[in-house]
Amino acid sequence: MAAQGEHVTGTGFFTSVDDVSVRLAEVGYLASTAVATTVFLADRLGKPLLVEGPAGVGKTELAKAVAAIGGARLVRLQCYEGVDESRALYEWNHAKQLLRITAGRDESWDEARTDIFSEEFLLPRPLLTAIRGDQPTVLLIDETDKADVEVEGLLLEVLSDFQVTVPELGTITATRRPFVLLTSNATRELSEALRRRCLFLHIDFPDQELEQRIVRLKVPGLDAVLAESLVRVVGALRAMELRKAPSVAETIDWARTLLALGAETLDEAVVRDSLGVILKHQDDVLKAGSKLRLDAVVPAP
Amino acid sequence: MQIGPGETLDAAAALEALGLDHRERVRAGLAAALLRREGQRAAFDTVFDLYFPLAVGAPEGVRDLPVDAPAAWREQLAGLRDRLADALAADDRAALARLAAEAVSVLGRYGAPGSASDGWSAHQTLDRLQPQILLARVLAAIRAGQGGGGGQAPGQGQGQGGGQGSAGLRRAGEGFTERIEADEIRDRIEQFRRQVGNEARRRVAELRGTDVIARRAVAASPDQVDFLVAGRDQLAQLRRTVQPLSRKLATRLAARRRRAQHGRIDLRRTLRRSLSTGGVPLRPVYRRRNPGRPELVLLCDVSGSVAGFANFTMLLVQALRDQFSKVRVFAFVNRTDEVTDLVTAGRADPAGLGSRILAEAEVTGWDGSSDYGAALGGFADRFLGAVGPRTSVLILGDARTNGRDPNPAALARIAARARRTYWLNPEPRELWSTGDSVAGEYARQVDMLPCRNVRQLGEIVAKLLPV
């Protein structure tokens, strides 16, 4: 397989790491060095990319951004408890099969049998969809940790060989390898076998400088000084060991809120009134309030 | 870390694709190919910094310290501190890295050069440099910069338009963010301390050989950190691992319950259902189980030597409270008192739990050392009603009685009433029954398990959970 060369195994969306950063930025995704490097490697080596990290740091967004750049269709498999083969891989269209059988009553059974297990009666689900077809594809397997352990076994064949076996039809192999991105919030340990097949990327909260750029990009109307204070306060909140640390998505929400409120600076009243936008537990609001001394008396001017 | 030939191939392919021009890209690429989970990252970074050092030898422009000239020494130290304060105020990462290298080179050297015991010490460097005392100075510098730019008192919350700080200092005045400035500076100082540590390791590695240092210097991942020897940083990190751990346990439990549904066939109901299909049992009915949720009683030694361990267990139990129908927590040093209310009320502040228990519950008598015999006896006399046939009892402690009567009869009374009793001991098995430990004696009465880190604790708690 390795002898076939890089261009056959890789998806070929990108030419270099810089290319990744620049083009991701063009579609509104500001990537850190680690993200850009890993995306490039996944593209070049043709390996699936397993992305872990806290909620709201842009794991799913990354897949969408890559699809947008590559001009690729995005095939998404949203995992949940109880997702199974017929939801993930393929299903036979029983209703259509029955119709076919009733329509052709005078033919022999052998003719009908070979006919009803043909492509026409196959309902491709995300994994099969992503493998078939010649157009560039990004396959997003979202929240892999929510799926049951058996589904991981199903993923193994798809992820290592990019093929799906349908007993009646034979093995369907990808003619064009999709760019595969799996996300996980680490609520369940993924199996070692699955991890081994993937490149691993942990996206953490961005550093202050990057987060400021993200805020400026997503909420262009916000004053630069205010954006900076905002990001710093969010950074302080993350350091507080809250039950749910504010994510990038919440930073952006907060920025939008401040913009809507017409706040010009970040002062006590503004923070106290809008803390609910970034913190989602009452305990956290109380704790942050006392740590930021929101109830402290302000000396009269 | 398990890294097989497959990972090595990936790493090689990654390096081929990336080239070696950008250090941070090489780091990210290798991490993507070699690592499997986030917990491995700290160890990876340490090793990476050792094998791909930023620089070799002493930093440029650093002169050796004249040992016999205290005045010059003081002057250089003061200069170093000045520049460090400036760099901290400006949050200049590059300058901080340079200063860390310089500080180790100037202050960290110990032993005679060329002898077998010389080297560079991060500890000594930080001890002499004392970066933490710069906090007030850095804060003052930042505020002075703001005063120059905006010219108004902080805390007023008036817009300054595009007011800028003076050159080199971060941003113009914003009343509110001043509150978090101190924490931010502390963070930067902490970063600097880590850089000094890396630098010292790098220099020693040049001296002793990289492989030797790499083997010694790599820290354990958080779930493997020993409770009894964890530092302050590690404790904070451990606390953060407890929250996701409880979720993991809860999902594992849900899976176990689901599987348990497919247990034995309920013959009577299967036959009854088969009446509708003419007596052919098409669909079997499974026997439903009562998901009996057990009660849990926790009996924790909270004396100094094992307090950290008891804290973690309480945190974990707190997080898993809804998996048990009833949880009661008792703490003791040499007297036993119920602390269930303190534990459940303190969800928002896990850090202060231990000290709150010591302050508010009656867990000590006339001295502060633990006495297992008295504590177990007290529990058996006063709180035995908390233990019933559905109760699992967890006793936490190192079983070091300080030479007092272990009172195994009290333990036997508790164990006889409980459904299961486990003793979790944070000491390794080899140390049981050495010195004043009576672990062996207690282990004859109840199951005693070593529980030294979060991973082991998670496994034990999972075992207790109901199906």
Side-chain angles (χ1 to χ4, degrees), chain B residues 229-289:
Chain B
V229 295
R232 202 164 47 88
D233 268 12
Q234 286 174 323
L235 284 179
Q237 220 174 0
L238 275 176
R239 266 202 301 280
R240 278 193 291 275
T241 55
V242 166
Q243 198 68 36
L245 182 67
S246 68
R247 274 212 65 174
K248 257 181 231 171
L249 287 175
T251 38
R252 195 184 298 170
L253 189 65
R256 233 161 71 178
R257 287 211 180 109
R258 223 177 21 249
R259 273 201 300 281
Q261 292 284 323
H262 300 278
R264 286 156 50 206
I265 286 180
D266 187 335
L267 200 59
R268 194 180 64 83
R269 288 178 49 223
T270 305
L271 285 178
R272 164 162 292 188
R273 187 179 277 182
S274 75
L275 291 181
S276 65
T277 48
V280 183
L282 276 183
R283 277 185 304 153
V285 183
Y286 294 101
R287 196 180 286 280
R288 221 172 273 136
R289 284 187 208 184

Side-chain angles (χ1 to χ4, degrees), chain A residues 171-193:
Chain A
T171 303
I172 300 171
T173 312
T175 46
R176 178 164 193 154
R177 192 171 276 214
F179 183 99
V180 185
L181 199 145
L182 300 93
T183 74
S184 159
N185 284 330
T187 52
R188 176 172 67 78
E189 268 296 281
L190 298 176
S191 75
E192 212 49 47

Side-chain angles (χ1 to χ4, degrees), chain A residues 18 47 195 232 266 268, chain B residues 10 25 36 176 179:
Chain A
D18 291 318
K47 291 200 95 182
R195 286 179 181 274
R232 290 173 66 204
L266 212 52
E268 196 160 281
Chain B
D10 282 351
R25 285 182 192 170
R36 290 290 162 258
F176 188 77
R179 295 173 189 199

Side-chain angles (χ1 to χ4, degrees), chain B residues 18-191:
Chain B
L18 292 172
L20 289 165
D21 297 345
H22 299 271
R23 183 164 180 263
E24 285 313 304
R25 285 182 192 170
V26 171
R27 183 197 294 267
L30 285 181
L34 295 176
L35 299 190
R36 290 290 162 258
R37 48 183 59 85
E38 175 57 12
Q40 301 170 332
R41 185 67 203 226
F44 170 80
D45 277 340
T46 310
V47 175
F48 182 87
D49 284 331
L50 275 176
Y51 283 92
F52 297 84
L54 255 183
V56 179
E60 268 177 53
V62 174
R63 56 203 162 102
D64 262 352
L65 204 65
V67 186
D68 48 349
W73 197 87
R74 256 199 306 277
E75 185 198 325
Q76 192 163 3
L77 184 61
L80 205 56
R81 277 196 188 134
D82 287 344
R83 277 179 294 149
L84 180 58
D86 288 347
L88 285 170
D91 196 15
D92 183 344
R93 302 279 161 83
L96 284 173
R98 266 200 312 278
L99 282 167
E102 193 180 329
V104 170
S105 203
V106 174
L107 303 172
R109 173 122 222 179
Y110 64 87
S115 75
S117 63
D118 70 332
W120 278 270
S121 154
H123 181 75
Q124 180 181 308
T125 309
L126 294 169
D127 206 41
R128 288 182 175 163
L129 188 60
Q130 301 271 333
Q132 64 275 19
I133 60 169
L134 293 175
L135 179 64
R137 205 169 124 185
V138 174
L139 275 178
I142 289 180
R143 297 211 171 130
Q146 282 168 8
Q152 76 178 54
Q156 311 250 344
Q158 281 172 19
Q160 288 187 1
Q164 304 302 321
S166 56
L169 295 167
R170 277 170 64 91
R171 124 215 53 84
E174 276 277 343
F176 188 77
T177 42
E178 267 184 20
R179 295 173 189 199
I180 54 176
E181 245 156 29
D183 283 337
E184 284 178 349
I185 307 291
R186 258 182 229 119
D187 216 43
R188 285 178 212 164
I189 292 176
E190 199 46 50
Q191 200 105 33

Side-chain angles (χ1 to χ4, degrees), chain A residues 29-277:
Chain A
Y29 190 99
L30 297 181
S32 64
T33 314
V35 171
T37 311
T38 324
V39 167
F40 172 68
L41 280 180
D43 174 61
R44 181 53 61 92
L45 307 181
K47 291 200 95 182
L49 178 57
L50 170 64
V51 187
E52 282 191 343
V57 289
K59 301 188 290 291
T60 307
E61 287 306 310
L62 180 59
K64 291 184 187 163
V66 170
I69 297 171
R73 62 188 173 145
L74 179 71
V75 180
R76 179 170 179 168
L77 172 64
Q78 177 72 47
C79 294
Y80 52 89
E81 220 177 86
V83 69
D84 59 2
E85 204 177 33
S86 59
R87 293 272 162 235
L89 215 49
Y90 68 88
E91 231 177 331
W92 288 108
N93 190 341
H94 296 303
K96 206 170 167 191
Q97 284 173 332
L98 279 176
L99 277 175
R100 168 73 185 74
I101 293 167
T102 29
R105 277 189 189 281
D106 42 355
E107 68 186 349
S108 74
W109 164 242
D110 277 340
E111 280 169 347
R113 187 184 54 190
T114 46
D115 206 35
I116 57 171
F117 287 111
S118 64
E119 291 258 348
E120 195 191 344
F121 301 96
L122 197 65
L123 288 174
R125 298 301 182 202
L127 294 183
L128 186 57
T129 311
I131 278 185
R132 289 206 305 185
D134 284 335
Q135 69 262 58
T137 305
V138 173
L139 170 62
L140 166 64
I141 303 175
D142 216 1
E143 309 201 37
T144 314
D145 51 335
K146 298 275 161 51
D148 300 320
V149 185
E150 301 84 58
V151 176
E152 278 180 32
L154 204 70
L155 289 175
L156 291 182
E157 185 189 6
V158 178
L159 295 186
S160 56
D161 301 329
F162 292 93
Q163 63 181 37
V164 171
T165 308
V166 183
E168 295 86 351
L169 285 181
T171 303
I172 300 171
T173 312
T175 46
R176 178 164 193 154
R177 192 171 276 214
F179 183 99
V180 185
L181 199 145
L182 300 93
T183 74
S184 159
N185 284 330
T187 52
R188 176 172 67 78
E189 268 296 281
L190 298 176
S191 75
E192 212 49 47
L194 181 65
R195 286 179 181 274
R196 250 203 327 273
R197 279 168 177 74
C198 304
L199 292 175
F200 177 74
L201 172 66
H202 182 90
I203 305 189
D204 214 330
F205 298 121
D207 60 25
Q208 294 205 350
E209 193 251 323
L210 180 60
E211 190 162 20
Q212 269 176 47
R213 286 200 289 141
I214 295 173
V215 170
R216 298 293 305 281
L217 183 77
K218 299 281 177 188
V219 193
L222 199 72
D223 175 62
V225 181
L226 183 56
E228 187 180 346
S229 327
L230 182 115
V231 167
R232 290 173 66 204
V233 172
V234 170
L237 288 171
R238 281 182 195 145
M240 274 180 203
E241 289 189 29
L242 302 171
R243 279 174 70 188
K244 163 84 179 69
S247 67
V248 183
E250 274 132 19
T251 313
I252 293 169
D253 280 349
W254 202 26
R256 292 208 173 109
T257 310
L258 292 186
L259 195 63
L261 289 176
E264 283 173 358
T265 54
L266 212 52
D267 61 31
E268 196 160 281
V270 170
V271 175
R272 191 174 45 217
D273 293 344
S274 57
L275 212 51
V277 178

